[in-house]
Amino acid sequence: MKVFSGTSCIELSENICSKLREKNNDIKLGDLKIDRFSDGEILPNFLESVRGEDIFFIQSLYNSDIIIETLLVIDAAKRAGCKSFNLVAPYMAMSRQDKKDHNRSSFGAKMVANILESSGIDQLITIELHNPAICGFYNIPVINLNGNKIFIDYILEKNIEDLCILAPDAGAQKRASNFGKKIQNSSFAMINKKRTKPNIIDSVELLGEVKDKNVLIIDDMLDTCGTVCSVTELLINNGAKSVSAIASHGVLSGKALSNINNSSLNKILVSDSIPNRYTKNNKIVYVSCDKLLADVIHALTHKESISKINDI
């Protein structure tokens, strides 16, 4: 087995290798050079032999250039004679395009599945797909890890009183409910929202009691944070003592930083599935997914069960 990193998450990859060494795995990050020509063309080159090796390639697929880089690395590894290519993608791009919402729109999640599978990957390991049904777009093993696993110990250590777990929409209800089951004496609420355009919410309705509660919003990703900020104001107006949010993926694009800073949000907790760009912001806390991914890689290489790792 050899572990390599793409350019999107070198620090995370090094941390994963460090966690693997704690498990008595003699693992170091492999030597992979990725050059870029002045016009943006990408050229990957393995500087060590990978023939007959099980490769674990760690790369968060958060933009189109990174996807192309990954495809070229897969091609290089296959041509160099690797035994298997396991893509560890903490964040999967296009996962919000899990269905056709319009007659002539793209089907991004399926397209990414097609090109990754046809390029020759043998297995995909990822965290908290926007829709678990995306696993069915692949004809290879897909391990979709539970993002709640990253944060549950952090929250339990805080021992937050009067805690209310809130699902920001119907799609997050199961995720939030499972999180709440691990925290004794926590209550549950949810938001019913109507959206007509991406990132734009027409109306929101609170279902449940949040008065005098410390509310924790559970979601799979935070992008522009417009929704979570508007929900926060609704909760504060309904008597919540404080509002924080957890998301497996901190996309944090567009006006996200401004929205967070100008809101009543206490904290947001995100993993480092996407490189942590806002470490100096006192409202944003990064909780690493390195241990979760290292545990899975270790289990796969030792033919152990993934279920016991994925359960919270």
Side-chain angles (χ1 to χ4, degrees):
M1 177 189 73
K2 290 190 174 182
V3 179
F4 295 91
S5 175
T7 59
S8 71
C9 51
I10 295 173
E11 183 179 354
L12 173 60
S13 300
E14 290 174 341
N15 292 339
I16 290 171
C17 286
S18 177
K19 295 292 184 183
L20 285 169
R21 285 193 293 273
E22 292 175 7
K23 296 176 176 291
N24 299 319
N25 294 276
D26 185 19
I27 295 295
K28 64 177 182 178
L29 200 58
D31 201 355
L32 171 62
K33 184 180 181 183
I34 300 177
D35 287 325
R36 277 177 166 75
F37 294 95
S38 59
D39 65 349
E41 184 177 329
I42 303 166
L43 176 63
N45 181 27
F46 287 93
L47 301 182
E48 60 183 84
S49 176
V50 296
R51 188 169 301 280
E53 296 283 355
D54 293 311
I55 289 180
F56 286 84
F57 179 65
I58 303 168
Q59 179 90 292
S60 275
L61 306 184
Y62 60 81
N63 65 38
S64 302
D65 284 348
I66 294 297
I67 293 174
I68 294 297
E69 178 187 302
T70 301
L71 295 173
L72 290 169
V73 170
I74 296 167
D75 183 70
K78 289 291 182 177
R79 293 179 187 277
C82 72
K83 181 181 178 181
S84 68
F85 193 100
N86 303 277
L87 176 59
V88 181
Y91 174 74
M92 283 294 295
M94 314 289 180
S95 65
R96 284 174 286 188
Q97 294 185 42
D98 57 337
K99 56 185 178 298
K100 285 193 67 174
D101 289 321
H102 309 284
N103 290 333
R104 290 175 291 279
S105 66
S106 62
F107 199 174
K110 176 60 176 170
M111 181 205 69
V112 170
N114 288 344
I115 60 176
L116 286 175
E117 195 169 337
S118 63
S119 70
I121 68 170
D122 296 280
Q123 185 166 227
L124 172 65
I125 301 104
T126 189
I127 298 173
E128 201 77 62
L129 287 168
H130 189 61
N131 184 349
I134 293 172
C135 295
F137 296 170
Y138 295 81
N139 294 309
I140 57 171
V142 177
I143 298 173
N144 182 30
L145 297 169
N146 188 344
N148 285 348
K149 185 82 174 184
I150 302 166
F151 304 99
I152 190 68
D153 288 340
Y154 182 95
I155 295 300
L156 287 172
E157 288 173 3
K158 296 296 182 182
N159 194 26
I160 304 170
E161 296 181 352
D162 302 318
L163 183 62
C164 175
I165 304 299
L166 182 129
D169 54 36
Q173 183 175 355
K174 182 178 180 181
R175 183 184 304 110
S177 177
N178 288 339
F179 195 98
K181 289 176 183 177
K182 296 297 295 183
I183 304 175
Q184 294 183 355
N185 301 319
S186 63
S187 59
F188 182 81
M190 69 172 292
I191 295 291
N192 183 34
K193 65 185 181 182
K194 182 178 179 182
R195 188 199 305 267
T196 56
K197 295 180 181 179
N199 302 119
I200 298 176
I201 304 297
D202 285 341
S203 62
V204 293
E205 178 186 10
L206 174 62
L207 305 176
E209 182 59 60
V210 297
K211 184 176 174 59
D212 297 326
K213 299 286 187 179
N214 292 304
V215 181
L216 187 59
I217 302 170
I218 309 293
D219 211 347
D220 64 323
M221 70 172 68
L222 291 174
D223 190 354
T224 62
C225 295
T227 301
V228 73
C229 289
S230 63
V231 167
T232 296
E233 301 311 316
L234 174 66
L235 296 172
I236 294 295
N237 290 338
N238 278 269
K241 286 196 289 188
S242 71
V243 181
S244 296
I246 283 179
S248 300
H249 309 294
V251 180
L252 304 180
S253 68
K255 296 181 179 180
L257 200 57
S258 173
N259 287 337
I260 293 168
N261 289 336
N262 294 325
S263 74
S264 300
L265 268 169
N266 183 32
K267 298 283 185 184
I268 69 165
L269 278 68
V270 294
S271 81
D272 52 355
S273 63
I274 297 173
N276 42 3
R277 295 167 290 173
Y278 302 119
T279 53
K280 295 182 179 180
N281 189 297
N282 59 11
K283 282 193 174 186
I284 302 174
V285 178
Y286 285 92
V287 182
S288 186
C289 57
D290 54 2
K291 184 180 184 303
L292 176 62
L293 293 173
D295 287 346
V296 170
I297 293 172
H298 176 85
L300 289 172
T301 55
H302 289 77
K303 297 181 174 60
E304 296 173 357
S305 173
I306 302 298
S307 297
K308 63 181 181 181
I309 298 171
N310 210 23
D311 292 339
I312 63 170

